[in-house]
């Protein structure tokens, strides 16, 4: 095993541990906003996959770069869709004006529609 691979695996394992600890400390109500933002930031994977595709020389590298681009794009789009859906929950809904109720209910009385 090469030292670069060993270093990369160590960094990957530490990133998993740090990510697990950070996510476990976040309250459940904030999981959706954080995950939608994280999915949107996933565009970094998309750029990395494009850089790998630019340097690829064999069909396997092209295939892996294509799969990474597809999954990265799905995650970015999914992040924006979830964020938009979440923000719609906080928008005020249009209020329809209430018609004053006629206490007698007779047509032609004051305040009745069409009077």
């Amino acid at each position: 095993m090469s030292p670069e691979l060993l270093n990369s695996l160590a960094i990957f394992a530490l990133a998993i541990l740090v990510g697990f600890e950070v996510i476990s400390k976040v309250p459940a109500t904030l999981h959706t906003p954080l995950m939608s933002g994280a999915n949107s930031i996933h565009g970094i994977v998309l750029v990395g996959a494009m850089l790998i595709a630019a340097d690829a020389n064999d069909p396997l590298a092209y295939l892996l770069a294509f799969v990474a681009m597809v999954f990265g794009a799905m995650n970015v789009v999914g992040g924006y869709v979830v964020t938009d859906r979440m923000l719609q929950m906080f928008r005020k809904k249009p209020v329809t004006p209430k018609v004053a109720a006629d206490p007698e209910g007779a047509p032609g009385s004051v305040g009745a529609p069409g009077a």
Side-chain angles (χ1 to χ4, degrees):
M1 185 178 289
S2 69
E4 292 95 18
L5 181 61
L6 190 60
N7 285 340
S8 297
L9 288 175
I11 291 171
F12 184 67
L14 288 174
I16 289 173
L17 290 174
V18 169
F20 181 77
E21 285 298 317
V22 168
I23 292 297
S24 65
K25 302 289 187 254
V26 173
T29 55
L30 294 178
H31 271 250
T32 302
L34 283 177
M35 293 312 294
S36 66
N39 287 349
S40 299
I41 294 172
H42 209 84
I44 294 170
V45 172
L46 195 58
V47 172
M50 287 183 207
L51 291 175
I52 289 172
D55 289 341
N57 293 326
D58 58 347
L60 180 62
Y62 283 123
L63 179 67
L64 289 176
F66 177 73
V67 169
M69 282 191 279
V70 168
F71 282 123
M74 286 189 326
N75 216 0
V76 169
V77 171
Y80 281 112
V81 169
V82 168
T83 302
D84 185 55
R85 186 173 175 191
M86 185 180 59
L87 290 176
Q88 284 180 357
M89 293 188 318
F90 294 108
R91 290 190 184 129
K92 290 183 178 180
K93 295 177 181 169
V95 178
T96 57
K98 293 182 180 180
V99 177
D102 185 13
E104 298 177 11
S109 64
V110 177

